[in-house]
Amino acid sequence: MSEFIPPAKPIIGDEEREAVDRVLRSGMVAQGPEVAAFESEFGAHFVQGRPTVAVNSGTAGLHLGLLAAGVGPGDEVIVPSFTFAATGNSVALTGATPVFVDIEPETFTLDPEAVAAAITPKTRGILPVHLYGHPAHMRALEALAAKVGVTLYEDAAQAHGASLDGRPVGTFGKFAMFSLYPTKNMTSGEGGMVSAENDEIARMLKLLRNQGMERQYENEVIGFNARMTDIHAAIGRVQLTKVDAWTAQRQSNATFLNANLQGVVVPPVAEGAVHVYHQYTVRVPDDRDGFVAALKTEHNVGAGVYYPIPNHRLPSLASYAPGLDLPETERAAREVVSLPVHPSLSQNDLDQIVAAVNTVVRAGA
Ligand SMILES: *Cc1c(COP(=O)(O)O)cnc(C)c1O
């Protein structure tokens, strides 16, 4: 059997190693000039030059972003349930209530009509997730938010470079978070970037990241230590020069899979959307778990399920959603499978994935 194809594979090369070495040799490793350079380069690259603040994880970015936007106890923030737990957690950590709503079945992102139905006088904001690298329905959400007077935020953890109608994700929300975890489309080891709508939000993010200090020992607000190190920033700066080529490769891999897979529902792309395929996610309506196991044991293809348990049913978050029924979320959690789409796949790997999927589907039919 051919070699195992992993579901994700971070690409770290000599330039990243040299960049780390340069920082280590400088003797200055904490947040400093590399972080500042990474912030402005990232902002220019992805979010049209919006002010951008680096933190030590995407999760910290969401948490601090919500706090900087003024979210706290008594507020409700509308989130999808079909996402990584960090989305709902970050809302809960501010003391606000995450209000879980359903998704659109095609794009796996927040359903704007379900969001409209969930608005209450306590709703402070809406936190859509650009899941798998496909932009959420920002046109409708922006109109809704303006109409009812609530604020939009963005979880762009998986969506570096995605856009809608030519407008990049990360430019819609009061803040937007990008994750730099190793399996994301680019990495700094661990880390997150938060783009801010204005300098005031950016300043608050910087205060919250550094014990509430702008000037040393003059703490203005109660803050965290969520700083990125210059070591991590140096890795991220190198990755930033490569990420566009990797994204193009993901898109071309997805095009090949779309054209050749049989018997599974391939991921549609909404009109005007640019999908960056953090995940290439198909639906397998019958016996998804058997399908994933057969891909692995019979064909050496690693597939992932993101996410098998929706946020609103996790033991950690279920108390926010007693008795809630989200049918499209439940169906997605039962049916989704993410196939390898990462940029280090060879044509042989892609052929192996297609053969594996089509064989397992035929065997199950
Ligand atoms: C990865 C991820 C996060 C959290 O980012 P970290 O950098 O791992 O803390 C949040 N939301 C979503 C949708 C993610 O995929």
Side-chain angles (χ1 to χ4, degrees), residues 129-358:
V129 179
H130 307 299
L131 198 70
Y132 304 145
H134 189 294
H137 199 330
M138 300 311 282
R139 238 175 282 126
L141 292 175
E142 209 170 37
L144 173 68
K147 190 176 115 194
V148 300
V150 305
T151 306
L152 266 189
Y153 323 117
E154 295 176 78
D155 181 338
Q158 307 184 351
H160 316 63
S163 64
L164 190 64
D165 302 330
R167 188 169 160 199
V169 305
T171 63
F172 294 87
K174 186 161 215 139
F175 76 87
M177 178 281 284
F178 296 85
S179 169
L180 299 167
Y181 184 73
T183 59
K184 302 292 158 83
N185 289 24
M186 61 173 283
T187 186
S188 58
E190 287 266 15
M193 275 288 179
V194 188
S195 85
E197 186 177 63
N198 56 46
D199 291 336
E200 200 185 324
I201 295 288
R203 178 177 131 78
M204 188 52 78
L205 282 164
K206 287 181 179 173
L207 285 175
L208 290 169
R209 144 180 98 175
N210 187 31
Q211 317 283 6
M213 295 187 291
E214 186 169 291
R215 280 197 300 269
Q216 191 99 42
Y217 309 130
E218 294 181 25
N219 310 60
E220 298 173 41
V221 298
I222 295 173
F224 300 81
N225 174 359
R227 296 181 303 263
M228 180 181 278
T229 73
D230 264 16
I231 304 170
H232 293 87
I235 299 171
R237 291 181 72 196
V238 175
Q239 295 256 314
L240 192 58
T241 66
K242 304 178 177 177
V243 65
D244 288 351
W246 290 335
T247 298
Q249 190 60 51
R250 286 174 182 275
Q251 290 163 333
S252 127
N253 293 346
T255 303
F256 180 83
L257 293 172
N258 282 341
N260 290 284
L261 293 178
Q262 290 158 8
V264 295
V265 182
V266 301
V269 179
E271 204 189 321
V274 171
H275 194 329
V276 295
Y277 296 101
H278 169 62
Q279 300 294 350
Y280 179 90
T281 303
V282 302
R283 283 181 188 266
V284 179
D286 298 316
D287 189 18
R288 184 269 318 272
D289 294 341
F291 177 88
V292 171
L295 283 184
K296 187 165 175 216
T297 55
E298 294 163 23
H299 299 273
N300 247 344
V301 171
V305 173
Y306 313 107
Y307 297 90
I309 308 176
N311 275 355
H312 77 283
R313 284 200 292 106
L314 292 172
S316 52
L317 289 166
S319 64
Y320 289 101
L324 186 64
D325 182 28
L326 302 175
E328 289 299 343
T329 294
E330 297 292 351
R331 189 163 73 89
R334 265 194 323 271
E335 295 184 350
V336 292
V337 179
S338 298
L339 300 170
V341 73
H342 51 81
S344 30
L345 296 174
S346 65
Q347 186 57 46
N348 272 347
D349 294 333
L350 288 164
D351 291 339
Q352 186 181 333
I353 294 163
V354 166
V357 169
N358 294 353

